[in-house]
Amino acid sequence: MIPRLFILVMLSAVFFPLLSCKGKSSPIPKTDAQVFNSYWFKGQAEISNYELSQARYGATHNGETVLVFVTEDFSKSKQVKMDEPHKYKSDAVKVLKLNTNKEFVTGIYKYSMMSSVFMPLDHTEAPHSLKLTASVHDWCGQTFMQANWKGNRYEIQQFSYFEQDGDKKFALPRGWLEDEVWTLIRVAPETLPIGEVKMIASAFYLRLTHTENKVYNAITALAKKEDHFTYSITYSDIKRKLEIDFESTFPYKILGWTETYGDNEITTGKLLKTMMSDYWLHNHTQDETLRDSLNLGH
């Protein structure tokens, strides 16, 4: 019979190294709920305009990106914004929605791109975004992709005027959405995945490069740089790296980003202006002056 002490020693030899493989604790503290709510639940959205330098067709094109963060009530079953959440409280979940709007011109024609990510605020109960939609429009045509979190996987619908990309329906096993990382920075940056992870690349990148929509191996890291943090995602299989700079303290505003891929093609975004606004109430002609507050083009 094997001595009990020997068994305990062997178990220790197995489990202690496993425990030591856990990542280091995050340098970012958990945000106090009252502080979080006082910023995100005052009936306004955070709107930020960024100077965009977009790599496309072997050149760099000027443009702008607008990030709109706002909280809203979301249906867990239908995965849409709820009209009357007070009537269906058991189905309602609070999310932070991010609408990313990107525009740039290539020669004579313009690209218009938009994505929406819906991340539950209770990140411990729902660690992944419930839904992602993304569309790309240019003078050639349109593409659209939707990912819904169901049963521990993402169910994908993909439509495109390109034969190679659409029309398709398929499922992807559990993995992080690159597009949800931006929202995770705002909801719970201390939980950002660090190290070797499974990642579904940006919907914009996938469509612009006609890259296969699947789960990729990636290496992620978080670095403190003077007055801000930089979160990086590096994909070896598709030779791509994304670096997102954000504030070192709450509300962890996105300051800019650098995306490198292909033959050293580099896309960057740099924060210009931010404002809090209930913009959905400012839809009259006289409200156009508010665009000047964000340095937005007309």
Side-chain angles (χ1 to χ4, degrees):
M1 180 178 292
I2 301 175
R4 182 176 179 180
L5 179 60
F6 176 78
I7 295 176
L8 292 174
V9 171
M10 292 304 293
L11 287 174
S12 299
V14 171
F15 286 112
F16 285 177
L18 289 177
L19 292 173
S20 66
C21 290
K22 290 184 177 180
K24 296 180 180 179
S25 59
S26 174
I28 305 176
K30 184 176 181 180
T31 302
D32 178 78
Q34 185 174 350
V35 172
F36 185 93
N37 293 341
S38 65
Y39 185 83
W40 289 113
F41 286 98
K42 53 187 177 185
Q44 295 179 319
E46 181 196 87
I47 310 169
S48 297
N49 183 27
Y50 298 80
E51 180 182 27
L52 174 67
S53 178
Q54 177 72 44
R56 188 71 174 149
Y57 303 125
T60 301
H61 309 275
N62 295 328
E64 66 182 16
T65 298
V66 177
L67 302 185
V68 181
F69 287 96
V70 64
T71 54
E72 62 186 28
D73 293 290
F74 201 68
S75 166
K76 291 182 286 186
S77 61
K78 297 180 180 180
Q79 296 195 352
V80 293
K81 180 181 178 180
M82 302 186 75
D83 295 327
E84 299 176 300
H86 60 283
K87 290 185 178 181
Y88 307 96
K89 293 182 179 180
S90 63
D91 188 42
V93 58
K94 296 288 185 182
V95 301
L96 182 66
K97 177 179 69 176
L98 166 60
N99 283 339
T100 299
N101 302 268
K102 179 184 286 191
E103 292 189 342
F104 59 95
V105 174
T106 57
I108 191 175
Y109 65 97
K110 176 184 285 189
Y111 274 81
S112 296
M113 307 161 70
M114 180 174 178
S115 67
S116 299
V117 180
F118 304 84
M119 172 167 282
L121 296 182
D122 187 350
H123 194 65
T124 56
E125 182 178 340
H128 287 286
S129 296
L130 297 177
K131 185 177 182 179
L132 160 69
T133 61
S135 61
V136 177
H137 309 257
D138 65 74
W139 285 12
C140 294
Q142 307 172 55
T143 65
F144 177 79
M145 190 270 279
Q146 179 167 303
N148 293 88
W149 179 252
K150 294 183 178 180
N152 210 34
R153 65 179 185 175
Y154 278 108
E155 294 186 0
I156 311 294
Q157 298 181 74
Q158 186 172 296
F159 304 94
S160 175
Y161 63 93
F162 287 112
E163 180 181 6
Q164 173 185 338
D165 298 335
D167 294 349
K168 300 176 182 178
K169 292 184 179 182
F170 54 96
L172 293 178
R174 181 171 184 169
W176 290 93
L177 292 172
E178 179 186 313
D179 291 309
E180 73 180 336
V181 166
W182 305 74
T183 316
L184 183 58
I185 288 172
R186 310 308 304 278
V187 172
E190 73 279 4
T191 67
L192 285 164
I194 305 297
E196 297 181 5
V197 301
K198 299 294 185 180
M199 187 78 67
I200 301 169
S202 159
F204 289 165
Y205 166 80
L206 293 174
R207 298 286 61 80
L208 290 179
T209 61
H210 305 289
T211 300
E212 183 181 359
N213 193 349
K214 68 176 188 178
V215 178
Y216 289 92
N217 293 320
I219 302 295
T220 61
L222 180 67
K224 182 72 164 59
K225 298 182 178 180
E226 297 180 357
D227 60 344
H228 70 274
F229 284 105
T230 297
Y231 185 72
S232 63
I233 306 171
T234 304
Y235 303 85
S236 58
D237 293 344
I238 52 179
K239 297 180 180 179
R240 179 167 180 269
K241 183 175 183 178
L242 173 68
E243 295 177 295
I244 305 172
D245 298 327
F246 60 97
E247 292 177 330
S248 58
T249 58
F250 183 83
Y252 303 111
K253 194 179 303 175
I254 306 294
L255 301 175
W257 62 90
T258 301
E259 178 187 2
T260 306
Y261 61 91
D263 188 19
N264 199 35
E265 295 186 79
I266 301 175
T267 292
T268 63
K270 182 180 179 181
L271 179 63
L272 295 175
K273 289 290 185 74
T274 296
M275 68 182 296
M276 301 296 290
S277 172
D278 48 356
Y279 66 88
W280 48 90
L281 299 179
H282 301 286
N283 48 26
H284 300 289
T285 304
Q286 61 268 27
D287 294 322
E288 291 182 6
T289 56
L290 294 173
R291 296 178 63 83
D292 298 331
S293 302
L294 285 167
N295 288 352
L296 287 170
H298 291 273

